[in-house]
Amino acid sequence: MTALAQAQPVIPDFGRGSDCVRENRTFCWDWVRDHWDDTLQPRLLEHVELTAYAVGIGFAIAFVAALVAYRHRSFEGAFGFTSELLYTIPSLALFQLLVPVTGLTITTVEIALVSYTLLILFRNVVAGLRAVPDDVLEAARGMGFTRAQTLLRVELPLAAPSILAGVRIAAVSTISLATIAAFVLPEGLGQPILDGLRTFFKTKFIAAGALAVALAIATDALLVLVQRSLTPWTRASRAG
Amino acid sequence: MDPRESRGMNDDFRPRLFVDGIRFVLDNASLIAAKTLEHLVLSGAAIGVALAIAVPLGVLLGHAHRGAFLAINVGNVGRALPSLALIAFGLPIFGISFTNVLVALVVLAIPPMLLNTYVAIDGVDADAVGAARGMGMTEGQIVRRVELPLALPLIFAGVRIAAVFVVATATIAAIAGGGGLGDIIVNQASYRLRGVVGASMCVIVLALAVSAALAALQRLVTPPNLRPRVLMLEPTHVPSLASRADPEPGP
């Protein structure tokens, strides 16, 4: 697909298609209809895939780090500071700087995307665990729970709302950042946006941009539902 | 042009590029300085405009304890807007221009500022506000002398998050004529890979410097006895705040 696009002349070829496409009007439904199967849908699925891997790997790392940080305060400072630094690095610059190391590969993209999820996930898991009231922990100890049992049956369930809130924020942010990955890897919805911008074909970047926004909003809504169904006790006290 | 073409599909490990990047920065110091200035002007303008909109609105809503729904949802929607898409949407309206990029950056900067300002003012101890009212302060005085000083650290945290976003996004904005260091990064054909790498390093330094400067400022406006109060925010109620409002790095 990309190779073909590259082979085309520099002047964008809007020749085929309807008047709307030829005149490059703001938005052409027929282009979206015609190119859903070969452009938009595959890029959308790639985008979901990029995001899912990043959040999954990021969660695994952040969760383990948070458990360690929960027991050892000094580690919390160190990991928090590192993930904070990573979070501050502009995404386009990080993608570009990883290229000499890992090449124009999916690894480059995922390393960057994962590193942006760490801060949010780590913070929320630690905050959730720390918010467990002392008397609840006392009661668990009084019932003869071991440390592992307390963690699994008391602390993690009570921390679940905060953890899930972190996953939600991380997922939505990653969807946004994954569009920028298109600067180094022609995958995901960033690719048609960038391609549309470079050829100034409005329908393409508007449609792909709208899809990215819709994906973010849908993911947010879906994760709110998951959050509510997994932690029904939070609904009564939710402030908004 | 696809970056794949000029770099080859499988670049192997090329650490020399980092050296070349640094050399590029040193050799083109005046270019880098000019682009950095552009970057700062663009980011500063966006942050200024966003401040002027978000903070008064957040203070107003927070003082009235109304509009939690609005503030929190603007925060959520703001996060869901991919910056690249935002820049793209503005293009048919504003064309390739400074205005388009500025609008996109302002839209990105408003949500964290609004959310933090709202939560900070809304969360000021009701007893303190009650006492001020009992002393006969007008509403304006309460806002200026009680709520704003107490809320300042958290408001600053929001400004810092927004500033980091804006500096990062201003890089991407180069694709739509925003100028700044991104101009070099997205223009590999002119500046070669060493230019891209060098400019990327500059952007990173710039972002870290802005973040550190604002963190220092934030610390300066936070009286020591207030620091724990800021940290105690309930994460489950305002998740975005819990995770982002307190970017104080550890010790």
Side-chain angles (χ1 to χ4, degrees), chain A residues 81 84 87 89-90 93 96-97 99-100 104 123-124 165 168 172-173 176 179-180 183 194 197 205 209-210 216 237 239, chain B residues 2-3 7 12-14 18 76 80 82 84 88-89 91 160 172 175 186 197 200 203-204 207 237 239 243-244 246-247 249:
Chain A
F81 184 72
E84 169 101 26
Y87 192 77
I89 295 177
Q96 296 288 10
L97 283 190
V99 167
L104 295 162
R123 278 270 164 81
N124 272 43
R168 208 178 117 204
V172 173
S173 319
S176 170
T179 54
I180 297 159
F183 280 93
L194 214 54
L197 285 176
F205 62 71
S237 63
Chain B
D2 189 329
R7 293 179 191 172
D12 3 79
F13 184 54
R14 286 158 61 189
F18 294 112
N76 284 335
L84 188 60
F89 291 154
L91 267 186
R160 187 175 157 214
I172 299 152
I175 193 143
V186 300
V197 169
S200 296
V203 169
I204 290 175
H237 288 256
S243 57
R244 284 186 168 173
D246 153 50

Side-chain angles (χ1 to χ4, degrees), chain B residues 50-68:
Chain B
L51 260 180
I53 298 170
V55 171
L57 185 61
V59 169
L60 212 67
L61 293 175
H63 180 71
H65 302 286
R66 273 161 204 270

